[in-house]
Amino acid sequence: MDKLFNNHWFVKFVSLLIAVMLYMMVNMNNISNQPGVLPDNNDDSSYTIKDVEVNAYYDEENYEVVELEETVDVELRGPQTSIMLFQLSRPAYEVYVDLEDRGAGVHNVRLEYRDFPADLDVSITPRFVSVELQQLETVSYPVEAEVMNKEETAEGYTLGGAKVTPSEVDVKASPSVHDQIASLKAFVDAEGADERVESESEVVAYDQNGNELDVPINPETVEVEVPITSPFQKVPINLSREGTLPDNLSIEALNMDPTETTIFGPLPDIKDISNVEAILDLSEIEGDGLIEVDLIYPEGVEHIQPETVEVEVEVGEREETAFEEIPIEVENIPEDYSFEITDPDQGVSDVTIYGSSAVLENINKEDITLIADWEDGEEEGNLQTLPVLSSGPSEVNIEPEVHEIEVEWSQAEDNEGTDTVEETEEAD
């Protein structure tokens, strides 16, 4: 078929055939007057066009048509050849009402028409229609943010309240349309979100049944922001110290506020965090006072609230006291290991404690602990050198006489457990 239409002789033939048919149709009345050629066709014929759309012309800037007959029937009368030509050519025609000079209210107006063939009589049913014009009113409406897929955010994340900018939009419509408007919404999708959701969203109007309304909205789009809170948990704050006080001072009391903080971050990263550390630099202390200390972010934590703590420091003149033969406890020994300290005298250590008199007078020997951690030791053959660490009240400094011990270990065959320092001493 494409080859035929590409052939210019075929196109010329089709054009000639159409021209002859049109000529015969236009001149059918003359031909029918010749005896014996065609039956007499001078009588008028009629043709009815069903459901012709009715257009309305009015001041669309200020009014709206709320009631109008949507379609009418149009009857054409005239020579049969003209009606046949109209049916074949289907020219553009129009049925309309002219309301350009009309204001608000109900108007009974005559239907008008144009662009029908001049030799045909046109009859419209109904001939008059009732049209209601209502004056347009501009009303501001609040926009609701509709968050979709709330349950599909990233694990542990929580959606906050949505913010819409601008929070209101204008709708210019007739009072009857305003009566139908129940809400205006802007939609935003939170699926998979793990941070603030920002979206430029179209505003849609709905009636009370949730049906969408076709109304002009200004502006047509709004900015929607939905904050998202990452997983969080409260943990205690562990206050540790670094540096040294001036020689003449000692800590009497450290009061920290707050004592816990909230950490935020992905759930797998924060679920095993048991505390957050704050480090107090003792070298900055010159006397009693309030010091603000930053919290240290653990790995995986995105935010801490609060990020600082206030430490109230009370100091006094430095004094010292001593305790003798504090036992050294060995910790974290492998289950199938047994050991003995190579130098029995290293099983205990004297300690010197520095602090204020008010603190020292309340400290007993039982408040001091010396620990040798197996996991911190250095191994050489079956010998393990373990550093000795001290612990006690936070307001004092503890200096043990023994800083490390050496143990000789062997792997037990019966897995009966681990010897303690006391058991080793008794064996000696």
Side-chain angles (χ1 to χ4, degrees), residues 1-12 14:
M1 183 64 70
D2 291 339
K3 291 182 179 179
L4 286 175
F5 281 103
N6 289 330
N7 188 315
H8 69 280
W9 291 109
F10 177 78
V11 174
K12 288 181 178 180
V14 172

Side-chain angles (χ1 to χ4, degrees), residues 161-278:
K163 178 184 177 183
V164 180
T165 306
S167 59
E168 293 186 347
V169 294
D170 294 335
V171 176
K172 188 175 184 180
S174 62
S176 61
V177 172
H178 283 298
D179 290 341
Q180 298 178 54
I181 297 176
S183 63
L184 274 75
K185 297 182 179 181
F187 292 86
V188 61
D189 192 351
E191 183 177 2
D194 59 1
E195 60 183 11
R196 176 186 296 269
V197 178
E198 297 180 351
S199 172
E200 182 176 349
S201 304
E202 182 182 2
V203 181
V204 182
Y206 293 92
D207 62 16
Q208 292 182 348
N209 297 321
N211 300 314
E212 186 174 336
L213 299 174
D214 184 15
V215 294
I217 300 173
N218 184 37
E220 296 179 346
T221 61
V222 293
E223 297 290 334
V224 182
E225 295 183 9
V226 184
I228 292 186
T229 303
S230 63
F232 64 92
Q233 64 176 348
K234 286 190 174 183
V235 294
I237 299 171
N238 179 38
L239 182 64
S240 59
R241 294 175 288 181
E242 66 179 12
T244 56
L245 285 167
D247 290 342
N248 62 329
L249 294 180
S250 183
I251 299 293
E252 285 192 349
L254 295 175
N255 298 311
M256 182 175 60
D257 184 42
T259 59
E260 63 180 10
T261 188
T262 304
I263 59 175
F264 300 82
L267 191 59
D269 293 337
I270 69 170
K271 64 180 181 179
D272 295 327
I273 296 176
S274 58
N275 63 73
V276 171
E277 188 174 13

Side-chain angles (χ1 to χ4, degrees), residues 95-111:
V95 176
Y96 65 95
V97 289
D98 186 357
L99 304 168
E100 293 285 359
D101 298 327
R102 304 294 181 105
V106 179
H107 309 283
N108 194 33
V109 294
R110 182 185 181 90
L111 289 169

Side-chain angles (χ1 to χ4, degrees), residues 54-96:
V54 178
N55 296 323
Y57 295 94
Y58 59 96
D59 180 4
E60 297 183 13
E61 289 294 321
N62 298 298
Y63 299 96
E64 182 177 1
V65 172
V66 296
E67 183 179 339
L68 171 65
E69 193 82 24
E70 294 184 356
T71 61
V72 293
D73 295 339
V74 177
E75 184 181 19
L76 302 179
R77 281 189 172 275
Q80 184 175 3
T81 54
S82 296
I83 290 178
M84 290 177 63
L85 183 60
F86 174 84
Q87 290 176 294
L88 288 174
S89 60
R90 304 298 294 182
Y93 56 84
E94 183 183 26
V95 176
Y96 65 95

Side-chain angles (χ1 to χ4, degrees), residues 107-128:
H107 309 283
N108 194 33
V109 294
R110 182 185 181 90
L111 289 169
E112 301 182 50
Y113 61 88
R114 56 188 163 205
D115 296 331
F116 287 97
D119 59 343
L120 295 178
D121 293 329
V122 180
S123 177
I124 303 174
T125 305
R127 198 69 183 91
F128 289 85

